[in-house]
Amino acid sequence: MNSRIWCSEVPVITTLGLFIITAIAEIVGCYLPYLWLKKGASAWVLLPTAISLALFAWLLTSL
């Protein structure tokens, strides 16, 4: 395999992976409060919500 081609593909794969992780963090951070507010889930779902939204904010601002 040509190393020049491999080096150019790594940032694309990394970027795609970070995009997917950021999207999942945002979706989880928005869906869990919905479960709590509308579906009567336990207030404990707000803890992973806070963690997920903190991860989402960190990924958006630091990377």
Side-chain angles (χ1 to χ4, degrees):
M1 176 179 254
N2 187 349
S3 63
R4 187 173 178 186
I5 294 172
W6 171 251
C7 290
S8 68
E9 291 177 3
V10 172
V12 173
I13 293 170
T14 302
T15 301
L16 182 62
L18 289 172
F19 176 79
I20 291 170
I21 292 169
T22 303
I24 291 171
E26 180 185 16
I27 291 167
V28 168
C30 293
Y31 183 67
L32 291 179
Y34 166 78
L35 288 179
W36 177 63
L37 289 170
K38 300 291 183 179
K39 302 291 184 180
S42 169
W44 284 104
V45 299
L46 297 178
L47 181 63
T49 296
I51 294 168
S52 178
L53 289 176
L55 174 65
F56 173 67
W58 180 75
L59 287 169
L60 282 181
T61 57
S62 66
L63 298 176

